[in-house]
């Protein structure tokens, strides 16, 4: 296999810290965007303006716009998720009027209770609402904020965090309950279960709140959960915990391991919290490096097709390899690039770049040049996915493209674009700009809806029906990562900011020489 020869070397590099080059923790590329690509930043900005104008007209104050039915929906408790998620992108794009209106709205939101009958997700509320307010505060504190409308959102953030903390950690539990009702005397969980992504992806936002509130209790709760998961004994694979976790006991259950949904942002936050905090506690970096090591030794596979050796990280369930992948999982390429740079390990960076290329293949090979929600592979040790094998049509597609589609929807997810952004900033290779150009062109051709833009039911059909939702992360992540790919690399430098999992940038101290 193409990458097999690197495995022994990278294991030595991870376990014994043998650097491949003096990368010095730097992430960004110093390569300016060539002139022939620069117009694409303006195109992305116009897509944002078109999207947000449609939201303002048909859904303002609600969580999301339904762009096909020209209506609104509230799937994040009615706090106005799109306004919060769009704020930091407005700042980056220099959209002064929209930013001023958005921050004024955020300042007046009542966070005392859900505005819908739904329970409140600690994870989703943290990454969107708390993350946006903390990122705005960092931008206002460390840069010349456009419009100079420096509304203080720290008080709002504290109110929201206090309401979450009072219930999510109501039983002296280390792992927070994932769904709560504000004002209740105890947790509202009818089913005492969570997953490590929900529990372990709070540290960036809550520790930033502690910085501004000058109160360690917020960091203590969130970082305590992250550290607890990292320190759990006897994980199924070294560094890789089982996906399910029980808040009341703090123990994991089952033996399902994945870089995909349910585990993804926990692994993401291990290395990012180490960078944001510059903590002397090595558990975060060591656990992340162990997870990468286990993934290379146990989970990494090469697709066996005429299209070439596409590298992927399989799932694992109690000893059984599952040859599956997902759009959500494709954050891992960018995460490995970031972590490889931080740990001075070029080999991890190269694996990350290979993962980026393989994930981009799921985009470049469809009729719309937009990738599907989930997919599967075949390798030298089979094609088991946990269900029936590929149909004849799926097998033919695999033989041509090196993967086959198992869910053809595009839900406007950002992860492939996110990793492509990291690859561009790390290498300066214009093929990543070409990837981003292709996606902008696909947006303009296939995603316009009655108003705004919408996802697709079938990415492999140029005449696909639209999905009637424009999620808030379209503004926070998709359009931000695209815009920054074409922007000056010194703007929102990866040496100065760490992005939370909703792509809200948080100010980071100068990097250590090595982590």
């Amino acid at each position: 296999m193409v990458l097999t020869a690197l495995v022994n070397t990278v294991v030595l590099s991870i376990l014994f810290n043998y650097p491949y080059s003096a990368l010095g923790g730097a992430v960004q590329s110093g390569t300016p965007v060539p002139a022939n690509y620069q117009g694409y930043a303006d195109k992305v900005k116009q897509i944002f303006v078109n999207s947000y104008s449609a939201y303002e007209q048909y859904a303002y104050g609600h969580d999301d716009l339904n762009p096909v039915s020209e209506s609104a929906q509230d799937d994040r408790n009615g706090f106005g998720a799109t306004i919060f998620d769009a704020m930091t992108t407005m700042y980056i794009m220099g959209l002064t009027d929209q930013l001023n209106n958005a921050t004024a709205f955020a300042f007046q939101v009542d966070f005392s209770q859900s505005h819908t009958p739904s329970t409140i997700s600690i994870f989703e509320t943290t990454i969107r609402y708390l993350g946006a307010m903390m990122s705005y505060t960092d931008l206002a504190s460390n840069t010349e904020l456009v419009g100079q409308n420096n509304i203080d959102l720290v008080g709002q953030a504290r109110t929201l965090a206090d309401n979450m903390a009072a219930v999510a950690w109501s039983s002296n539990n280390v792992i927070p309950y994932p769904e709560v009702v504000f004002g209740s005397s105890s947790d509202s969980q009818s089913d005492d279960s969570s997953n490590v992504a929900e529990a372990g992806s709070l540290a960036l936002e809550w520790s930033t709140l502690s910085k501004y509130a000058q109160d360690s209790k917020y960091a203590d709760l969130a970082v305590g959960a992250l550290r607890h998961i990292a320190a759990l004994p006897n994980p199924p694979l070294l560094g890789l915990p089982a996906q399910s976790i029980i808040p009341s006991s703090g123990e994991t259950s089952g033996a399902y391991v994945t870089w995909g949904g349910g585990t993804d942002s926990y692994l993401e936050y291990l290395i990012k919290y180490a960078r944001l905090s510059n903590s002397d506690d090595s558990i975060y970096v060591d656990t992340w490096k162990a997870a990468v090591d286990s993934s290379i030794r146990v989970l990494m596979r090469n697709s066996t097709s005429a299209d070439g050796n596409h590298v992927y990280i399989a799932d694992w369930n109690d000893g059984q390899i599952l040859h599956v992948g997902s759009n959500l999982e494709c954050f891992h390429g960018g995460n490995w690039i970031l972590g490889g740079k931080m740990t001075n390990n070029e080999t991890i960076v190269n694996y990350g770049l290979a993962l980026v290329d393989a994930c981009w293949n799921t985009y470049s090979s469809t009729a719309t040049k937009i990738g599907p929600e989930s997919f599967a592979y075949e390798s030298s040790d089979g094609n088991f996915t946990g269900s029936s094998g590929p149909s004849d049509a799926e097998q033919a597609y695999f033989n041509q493209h090196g993967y086959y589609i198992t869910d053809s929807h595009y839900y406007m997810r950002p992860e492939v674009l996110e990793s492509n952004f990291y690859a561009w900033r790390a290498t300066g290779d214009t093929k990543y700009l070409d990837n981003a150009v292709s996606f902008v062109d696909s947006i303009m051709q296939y995603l316009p809806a009655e108003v705004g833009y919408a996802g697709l039911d079938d990415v492999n059909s140029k005449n696909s029906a639209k999905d009637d939702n424009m999620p808030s992360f379209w503004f926070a992540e998709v359009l931000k990562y695209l815009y920054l790919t074409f922007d000056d690399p010194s703007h929102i430098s990866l040496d100065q900011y760490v992005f939370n999992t909703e792509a809200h940038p948080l100010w980071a101290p100068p990097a250590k020489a090595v982590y």
Side-chain angles (χ1 to χ4, degrees), residues 15 17 44 59 92 98 107-108 110 130 157 163 185 268 282 299 313 328 331 359-360 376 384 426 433 450 496 503:
L15 295 181
N17 289 315
V44 176
I92 288 169
Q98 293 92 329
F107 186 74
Q108 297 175 16
D110 177 10
L130 191 61
N163 286 332
S185 59
E268 176 187 359
S282 64
L299 304 179
I313 305 298
L328 277 171
F331 87 96
C359 284
W360 194 264
F384 180 71
L433 295 178
E450 279 71 7
Q496 295 175 315

Side-chain angles (χ1 to χ4, degrees), residues 356-419:
V356 173
D357 289 345
C359 284
W360 194 264
N361 177 57
T362 68
Y363 275 53
S364 62
S365 56
T366 70
T368 61
K369 307 301 180 188
I370 297 173
E373 174 71 359
S374 61
F375 35 90
Y377 297 96
E378 298 180 24
S379 189
S380 58
D381 60 345
N383 60 8
F384 180 71
T385 64
S387 59
S388 58
S391 65
D392 290 344
E394 289 171 335
Q395 185 66 54
Y397 190 94
F398 171 82
N399 291 341
Q400 183 176 1
H401 299 297
Y403 76 101
Y404 62 92
I405 297 170
T406 55
D407 183 344
S408 63
H409 287 87
Y410 175 61
Y411 294 115
M412 306 183 88
R413 296 207 189 275
E415 284 76 15
V416 174
L417 304 167
E418 172 186 355
S419 287

Side-chain angles (χ1 to χ4, degrees), residues 192-194 196 232 236 241-246 249-256:
D192 183 15
S193 65
S194 185
V196 294
L232 283 169
Q243 185 179 60
S244 297
I245 194 164
I246 302 168
S249 68
E251 297 177 353
T252 53
S253 63
Y256 198 94

Side-chain angles (χ1 to χ4, degrees), residues 239-282:
L240 291 166
Q243 185 179 60
S244 297
I245 194 164
I246 302 168
S248 60
S249 68
E251 297 177 353
T252 53
S253 63
Y256 198 94
V257 170
T258 180
W259 280 79
T263 305
D264 46 5
S265 51
Y266 158 71
L267 296 169
E268 176 187 359
Y269 273 34
L270 284 172
I271 196 68
K272 287 185 173 181
Y273 179 70
R275 174 65 189 89
L276 187 73
S277 67
N278 280 348
S279 173
D280 291 330
D281 188 344
S282 64

